[in-house]
Every structure is written in C-alpha cells, then in structure tokens.
Amino acid sequence: SESRVARRRGPSQRRLGRRSRRAMDATRGGDGASRPLQAEAEERPAQRCSENGAASDERRPTATLAALDVECASAPKKQRTEKARISAFDSIRFFLIGYIMVGHFAAYLGPTMLVFRLLTQINVVVGGFFALSGYVAAYTTTENACCEASRKLLQTPKPLWVLQRISAYYPLYVMVLVLFSPMFVYADVTYNGWAVTLWHGFLSVTLLQAWFPMHAEIWNSPTWFLSALNFVTVILPFALPELAKQSKRQLRRTIAVLFVVGLLPKLGYCYDHNYWGMLEGALQRHHLHGFNLDTFNMQRFSPFFAATEVLMGAAACRLVMLDGADGETEAPRVSSWSTSLPVAGMVGIIVLRAFGAVALSDMLTRALIFMPLFLLFLMSIHRMVVRPQASDPICRFLSHRTLVTLGGYAFPIFILHGPIGQLFYKKIIATYLFGGPLHTVCGHWFFFVYVATTFVAAVVVQKTFLSSKAVKAMASWACDKLASLF
C-alpha cells in the first residue's frame, strides 16, 4: 500500500514528495498553466551550508529540489579547533594577587628597606592583571584559526553581555561592602562627616571611584581595579569583534599603537615632574610632601589607561589563536627559554630596582619592561598548552593541581584582603577594637596571622557564596532584568 511505501522512503524522499505535491497543487490554479518544478527550484534562494547556517544573499540555479538538498548536505563545513583549558592562568592569577596582598600591608611586617622595596612594586605588577583579563576575554569570545568572533559574543545583546561579565564579580564585591560597611562608615564619618561619607558610599556601590583619582581608594581600597575594569568591560563587546577580524600583521600594529598610547602619558608624567627614577610604591607617608600625588594617581587609576593594557592582552591572545590559520604563519618554535626568559626579566627588573641598580619610575617600568615581558610570557604558556608535544617545567609547575586550586581562591582573596587588613591595622579601627594596630599590640609576627585569616576567609567565601546556585540564579535574574531596560 501507499502508506507502507511511504514508510520505506527516507526522510528526504518524503519531504521531496510533499514539496512536489504542493508545487503541483499551486500550479493547477489560476490560468491552468503548469510551471515546471525546475523553474520553482531556480527561484529559491540558495542556502549557505556554513556552520552558522546563515542564508546567502545570492541565488544559484539547481536542477531539482533533490539536487539542491544533496548540494547542501555535501557542502564542506569549516573545521574549528577545540580550545584547551589553560589552567596555568589560574596559578598566574594567584601569584599576582599574592604579591599585591603582601605589598599592600608589607610595612606591618617590619621589613628591612631592601625587602620593603622588593615587596611594594605593586604599581608595576598590577598591569599584569589587566593584560590577563584581556587575554582571557579574547580567548573565550573569539575563534581559533580564523578571523571571527564567537557566535555567542555576536548574538548576545551587548548590554546583556556586559552585565553578565560584571555579575561574575559584583555580588561578592557588594556582599563584602555590606559586611564591612560599619567599619568603612565609622572611619569615613569620623574624618569627613556624613555628607562626604554618603558620596563615598555612592561611588563605592556604583564602582565609579576610579574616575576620581584622589578618592579611588575609598572604603575597599584595592577594588579601584574593578572600577576601572567595569569601563573596559563596557567597550569589550565592541572591540573584540574588530580585533577578531584582524590578521597577525594588523594585530601587531594594533599592539604597537596601544603601546604608544599607554606610554606617552607616563612619559609626560615623568618629564613634567622629573620622576624618571622614582620608586613610587616604596614611598612612605613622610616622603609624600611635595610629591605630585594627583598626577601619579591619574596614571595608575585611570580606566582609559587600563583599557590599553586590557586590549593589548586581547590582541596578544589573537596572535596565538591565529597560529597556522589560512594565510598566516605557523607558530614560532617554543621551548623552555620561551617562558623562563620573560619570567627572569620580570623578576630581574623588580630585584634590580629594589637594589637601586636600575632607577626607573614605576610607571615607565610597567609600560616599557614588565608589560611586554608579561605578554610574551602569556603567549608562550598558551603555545605550550596547545601543543601536546611541548614540555616546559614552568608550564608544568603552573599547571599543578594544587596551584590551580589556589588560583580559584584568587578573586575572594583580592576582595577580602583590603577590609581584613584595615580591620587589623587601620589605626582608628584597630584602636577602637584592639587598643591599637595589631603590629604594635602583638608584634610584627601578626602579619602572618593576617595572611592566614585572609586565605581562610577566601576559602569560606568561595565554597559558600561564590559556589551558591542561589547567588548565581539571582545574579542571572538581575542581569536579564537590567538588560531589558536597554
């Protein structure tokens, strides 16, 4: 029977039969003229058999509907390379925040001047955070071995994309702000009164403090970084698709332009104030008399200057992702020297500046030496990870499970270390609670208690708050609601 014959037909044959019957029914009406099925097929818009399935604007003739189906089914599809997880980046993030945490409160350790100068070059190292943020953003939102952004980046509305990125860190930031708000408000009201305190609270809650150089470190001081990163996050969905379209040659030009744009203001700062050899991070309070703090703060807190470093990181990532792509050169040969030399250069410049062998401003050291070496280091780690045959002791060390686990606690450490440090060492707070700053009450050994307390608090927050499904669901709901306003 016809039903048994239809069941024996394949799905494509059944679809072809239905289409043919509909075409015959349509041509029998009107003037009774029968249009050939071939003519109908020639008028159909051609379908592009690409991965994204987008329709082509051109029309191409086909002999029959069946021929068109066969053509679509047999068209070659673009092969995409799977992305490997670069777990070493988590370890790098942990080492960066560890150095910054120690440097912020190193004075309470009672170090020698040499050790103090070694531990307080934070203004140099923090540039690595911005570059790493841009590198990871480009890696997760653009495609390997081709000049295009990911479908998720292109199809997600830009306001929603930005809000989703911000929601990754804003809930914990607000929670810590609320938790320590009695301490922040008490100190602020004591020195500045209620009106200024309310204004500072508004800047902190909205993460706008980085736009005010002399007040960027209000309340939770280290989180000026998130304030600057917020601005960069807003421009990333516009910048990343453009970077994704660029060839290696164009990307190198982009990095060069960004390098110059970031360097010029720092040269102007050093030239105008003759701070060429200033080691700003090691300045004590009594050294600040006559020091142009507002111009220096503009250099280190400005979201515009942070944007150049984030975009340099993104462009550097794209250089590696295009290795071996059509029309591009193969990846350069990598070895242990590819990672060890940049590390030696970054550590070496910090040591040489601490000993006084190199007299160069924090800002110039960051722009001229540390950032280029750090980008080379990230690119080398990336190339090592995507090549199974490559073997590198630094890469293996950074990919160790223990360090990767510690890297998972880097963000809560970053958020918590400032308020906990203020609780123990800020004079007005520690005197009210403990009778004085704890390095004077207990001794300099208490610094290690501070480090341990911060780490334990970070682990608790990671396992209870950041891993909470309810927190993630609430953040997702808030993103959707806010994005609908745009």
Side-chain angles (χ1 to χ4, degrees):
S1 64
E2 291 185 3
S3 61
R4 285 197 297 270
V5 172
R7 282 197 297 271
R8 285 197 297 270
R9 291 176 180 174
S12 62
Q13 291 175 316
R14 291 198 295 272
R15 288 196 299 270
L16 178 58
R18 287 195 295 269
R19 291 172 184 168
S20 301
R21 287 193 295 273
R22 286 197 298 268
M24 292 174 64
D25 293 339
T27 57
R28 286 170 183 164
D31 56 3
S34 177
R35 295 173 55 197
L37 190 59
Q38 178 179 353
E40 181 184 354
E42 290 174 353
E43 292 177 4
R44 293 181 58 197
Q47 300 292 322
R48 289 183 62 190
C49 300
S50 61
E51 182 175 297
N52 59 12
S56 172
D57 293 333
E58 301 175 355
R59 297 174 183 266
R60 64 171 181 263
T62 50
T64 61
L65 285 173
L68 180 64
D69 290 340
V70 171
E71 184 182 353
C72 261
S74 61
K77 294 185 178 181
K78 186 185 297 183
Q79 298 294 323
R80 298 186 189 276
T81 306
E82 293 295 328
K83 295 178 184 176
R85 185 178 186 277
I86 311 177
S87 56
F89 285 175
D90 293 333
S91 304
I92 294 172
R93 193 178 288 110
F94 173 75
F95 282 112
L96 288 175
I97 189 55
Y99 181 83
I100 290 173
M101 176 184 69
V102 171
H104 277 152
F105 295 93
Y108 304 107
L109 180 61
T112 63
M113 182 51 66
L114 174 61
V115 174
F116 185 70
R117 290 163 66 94
L118 279 171
L119 296 177
T120 54
Q121 299 183 42
I122 303 168
N123 302 310
V124 176
V125 174
V126 73
F129 259 129
F130 287 116
L132 183 57
S133 298
Y135 202 102
V136 173
Y139 188 65
T140 55
T141 60
T142 60
E143 298 294 349
N144 267 329
C146 59
C147 294
E148 61 184 65
S150 67
R151 283 185 293 170
K152 184 176 181 180
L153 174 62
L154 296 176
Q155 294 175 1
T156 303
K158 290 179 173 57
L160 179 60
W161 191 92
V162 170
L163 289 169
Q164 287 173 343
R165 291 278 171 160
I166 293 175
S167 69
Y169 53 80
Y170 191 72
L172 178 59
Y173 169 76
V174 170
M175 189 271 284
V176 171
L177 208 62
V178 171
L179 183 64
F180 287 90
S181 59
M183 177 182 73
F184 297 143
V185 171
Y186 175 73
D188 214 347
V189 169
T190 301
Y191 290 117
N192 302 308
W194 277 104
V196 174
T197 299
L198 291 174
W199 171 243
H200 288 172
F202 171 78
L203 293 180
S204 297
V205 171
T206 55
L207 279 173
L208 294 174
Q209 61 266 44
W211 296 99
F212 300 82
M214 294 301 292
H215 300 86
E217 294 182 297
I218 54 176
W219 291 23
N220 192 349
S221 303
T223 55
W224 69 264
F225 172 87
L226 297 181
S227 177
L229 189 64
N230 257 10
F231 168 73
V232 183
T233 302
V234 171
I235 68 175
L236 279 180
F238 300 92
L240 287 172
E242 298 305 316
L243 288 175
K245 297 175 184 177
Q246 295 184 355
S247 65
K248 280 193 172 185
R249 183 178 181 183
Q250 292 169 326
L251 287 167
R252 292 188 183 98
R253 291 177 180 175
T254 298
I255 293 176
V257 170
L258 291 169
F259 174 81
V260 172
V261 169
L263 176 63
L264 285 176
K266 296 171 177 60
L267 288 173
Y269 154 75
C270 292
Y271 179 79
D272 287 344
H273 304 290
N274 197 26
Y275 290 163
W276 298 103
M278 183 76 69
L279 204 155
E280 292 94 339
L283 292 177
Q284 301 284 346
R285 185 176 297 274
H286 60 276
H287 293 149
L288 295 179
H289 179 70
F291 179 70
N292 202 311
L293 186 60
D294 53 350
T295 307
F296 173 62
N297 282 352
M298 176 63 75
Q299 298 300 315
R300 60 178 181 147
F301 296 143
S302 172
F304 287 112
F305 301 151
T308 63
E309 294 175 335
V310 172
L311 294 176
M312 283 173 65
C317 178
R318 288 298 304 161
L319 281 174
V320 180
M321 295 180 75
L322 289 180
D323 284 345
D326 291 342
E328 299 289 355
T329 58
E330 293 292 333
R333 183 179 179 183
V334 289
S335 65
S336 299
W337 294 107
S338 305
T339 55
S340 58
L341 286 179
V343 170
M346 290 184 288
V347 174
I349 190 60
I350 290 175
V351 172
L352 290 174
R353 294 181 75 232
F355 277 93
V358 174
L360 191 64
S361 166
D362 282 7
M363 297 292 99
L364 288 181
T365 303
R366 173 170 162 178
L368 287 173
I369 301 175
F370 186 85
M371 288 298 297
L373 290 175
F374 188 77
L375 290 175
L376 288 175
F377 177 63
L378 293 181
M379 294 168 69
S380 298
I381 290 290
H382 188 171
R383 287 185 169 118
M384 285 286 183
V385 169
V386 299
R387 287 165 179 74
Q389 70 276 12
S391 178
D392 174 61
I394 293 179
C395 189
R396 289 200 305 269
F397 171 72
L398 292 175
S399 301
H400 192 276
R401 182 180 302 175
T402 301
L403 285 178
V404 174
T405 301
L406 292 175
Y409 303 128
F411 176 63
I413 289 173
F414 167 73
I415 296 292
L416 288 165
H417 82 276
I420 293 176
Q422 291 184 46
L423 187 70
F424 292 157
Y425 295 120
K426 193 176 182 71
K427 188 173 182 179
I428 188 174
I429 302 298
T431 300
Y432 181 82
L433 294 175
F434 311 112
L438 290 181
H439 70 291
T440 59
V441 174
C442 300
H444 294 301
W445 60 268
F446 192 84
F447 179 83
F448 300 101
V449 177
Y450 154 69
V451 173
T453 303
T454 302
F455 181 75
V456 171
V459 173
V460 171
V461 166
Q462 176 67 37
K463 293 186 178 296
T464 59
F465 186 83
L466 290 178
S467 300
S468 170
K469 293 182 179 179
V471 172
K472 294 177 182 177
M474 186 176 297
S476 177
W477 174 84
C479 285
D480 293 337
K481 290 296 182 181
L482 290 174
S484 65
L485 300 177
F486 297 92

